[in-house]
Amino acid sequence: MPTLNKIRTAIFPGAHRAPDESALRILRARLTLFFALDGFLFAGWVVRIPAIKERTGASAGALGLALLGVSAGAVATMMITGRLCRRFGSHPVTVASAALMSLGIALPPLAGSALALGLVLLVFGAAYGGLNVAMNSAAVDLVAALRRPVMPSFHAAFSVGGMLGAGLGGLVAGQLPVTAHLLLLTALGLAVSAAAGRGLLAHGLPERERPAAATAPASRPAAGRLVAVFGVIALCTAYGEGALADWSALHLQQDLAAPAGVAAVGYSVFALAMTIGRLAGSTLLARLGQTRVLVAGGATAAAGMLLGALAPTVWAALAGFAVTGLGLANVFPVAVGRAGELAGPGGVAAASTFGYGGMLLGPPAIGFLAEAYTLPVALTTVAALAAMAAVMAYGTRRMIR
């Protein structure tokens, strides 16, 4: 018997016996590292975009087109990754995608033009999209094995990693050239991928039994429609995250006359509240169940964003952003997790693609609406979509807890 099989047999000695709890805790810790690494690397890249723009000499318009390479690469690979996870397993694809993302982050400083930058960002985006689908698929299976609703804790790790990556980037931006900084991130990423990846590759999970809705031939169309519903819920909430990332500071500064330093805090308040909400997500899911968390989260985000968009003072708007972050915190993880429970890696891929599409749709949609009306009015669409997510989640109440 190969060594890998001996290890798996030792941890999971019987098809009907519960997996060893300590082994599952180790797997959870290692998978959490990959979520944190994803956020850390992506934030580290984002904070150095101004330096990359200066290095390539790209205009604002050319840079915007080049940055679409990240989105195009991610969306193009998400559905493919679902099939790769079914073929090779979520754990190997997670490790491979993390390693590729770590290597890909070193490429942008090598680009000498906006066109070259767009091409190398296709690689970075492909790895980013692949990692998100693979690690979420692995998390869905691990949640099923643990039999505890811990999905939000993984996404909390992503948020914490993002804050650490942005913080480190801000600290070294004036000290290290962009090439040295991103090469440092490559080295850190490869080290984490190697250290945490060994555990994922050595300790697999037993094949998870699919719910009847996902396996019975007569119910496959219904399961597919339900996966689409959860994908749209993910889109509605990711729309808000993308919109706040790009427009919150401008709203505070332009519409409420906030100083530049205060305006810059807007998204940080939102992101911190989202992280706190995700850290509490497992407890909320255990006590309230999926439907109540989805409905309450969407409704809370809608109320918070109405306050954030229409408040007459800066501090009230900041409070609204914080409430929005708390509301949106667990909607995306629960929606993606539920899609994975229904249809495995393919469900995760579909919901993730919807969600990523929403994050891409948010900023330009807000821009067009702000030009046609005003920015506060445009930001109320975040509240409208959050409310729509709550209504859709309530409509699935007989299908989930």
Side-chain angles (χ1 to χ4, degrees):
M1 180 185 292
T3 303
L4 179 58
N5 289 337
K6 290 181 180 178
I7 294 172
R8 289 178 175 169
T9 302
I11 298 175
F12 308 119
H16 302 290
R17 291 179 60 183
D20 182 76
E21 190 70 21
S22 62
L24 292 179
R25 283 197 297 270
I26 293 171
L27 282 177
R28 181 182 176 185
R30 287 167 176 163
L31 188 57
T32 298
L33 282 175
F34 280 101
F35 275 84
L37 177 65
D38 186 34
F40 181 81
L41 292 177
F42 192 79
W45 144 249
V46 167
V47 298
R48 298 314 299 259
I49 288 176
I52 295 295
K53 178 180 183 298
E54 182 179 353
R55 191 179 184 89
T56 59
S59 66
L63 178 65
L65 290 174
L67 292 177
L68 285 176
V70 177
S71 307
V75 171
T77 57
M78 279 182 168
M79 297 306 293
I80 297 173
T81 305
R83 292 194 289 271
L84 290 175
C85 288
R86 287 192 294 270
R87 175 67 177 84
F88 300 104
S90 298
H91 290 182
V93 179
T94 295
V95 177
S97 297
L100 181 59
M101 186 175 176
S102 300
L103 293 170
I105 202 172
L107 297 177
L110 304 179
S113 66
L115 176 60
L117 178 63
L119 293 175
V120 299
L121 288 179
L122 282 172
V123 177
F124 180 73
Y128 176 72
L131 178 57
N132 274 271
V133 171
M135 68 185 183
N136 273 290
S137 297
V140 168
D141 287 339
L142 184 54
V143 167
L146 286 167
R147 299 183 181 179
R148 294 198 303 275
V150 299
M151 191 70 169
S153 69
F154 294 116
H155 288 259
F158 172 87
S159 298
V160 171
M163 289 192 294
L164 291 175
L168 176 63
L171 287 174
V172 306
Q175 310 298 325
L176 284 179
V178 62
T179 301
H181 177 205
L182 297 186
L183 281 173
L184 174 63
L185 295 186
T186 293
L188 288 172
L190 290 174
V192 172
S193 298
R198 289 180 62 188
L200 285 188
L201 295 176
H203 304 295
L205 287 170
E207 184 67 23
R208 180 169 58 88
E209 293 183 2
R210 301 295 179 205
T215 55
S219 63
R220 281 177 185 164
R225 288 192 294 270
L226 194 54
V227 166
V229 168
F230 286 112
V232 174
I233 290 173
L235 182 152
C236 289
T237 55
Y239 173 96
E241 189 172 352
L244 280 167
D246 283 19
W247 292 100
S248 58
L250 183 62
H251 170 56
L252 292 172
Q253 192 167 10
Q254 171 186 287
D255 301 315
L256 299 176
V262 175
V265 170
Y267 182 71
S268 298
V269 167
F270 168 80
L272 179 60
M274 178 174 279
T275 302
I276 293 170
R278 285 175 171 174
L279 289 171
S282 297
T283 300
L284 290 174
L285 282 170
R287 293 183 178 179
L288 302 178
Q290 293 179 349
T291 297
R292 289 178 181 175
V293 167
L294 289 173
V295 173
T300 300
M305 199 58 223
L306 284 176
L307 176 61
L310 304 178
T313 67
V314 171
W315 300 111
L318 288 174
F321 291 164
V323 173
T324 303
L326 289 173
L328 293 182
N330 296 303
V331 179
F332 185 91
V334 173
V336 171
R338 183 55 179 161
E341 291 170 12
L342 287 164
V348 173
S352 297
T353 304
F354 271 104
Y356 200 81
M359 193 171 291
L360 296 177
L361 175 65
I366 296 294
F368 287 126
L369 290 169
E371 188 172 345
Y373 302 99
T374 63
L375 182 53
V377 170
L379 287 172
T380 62
T381 59
V382 174
L385 288 180
M388 189 172 85
V391 171
M392 294 178 70
Y394 183 75
T396 66
R397 65 192 181 278
R398 294 186 177 88
M399 303 173 190
I400 60 176
R401 295 191 303 275

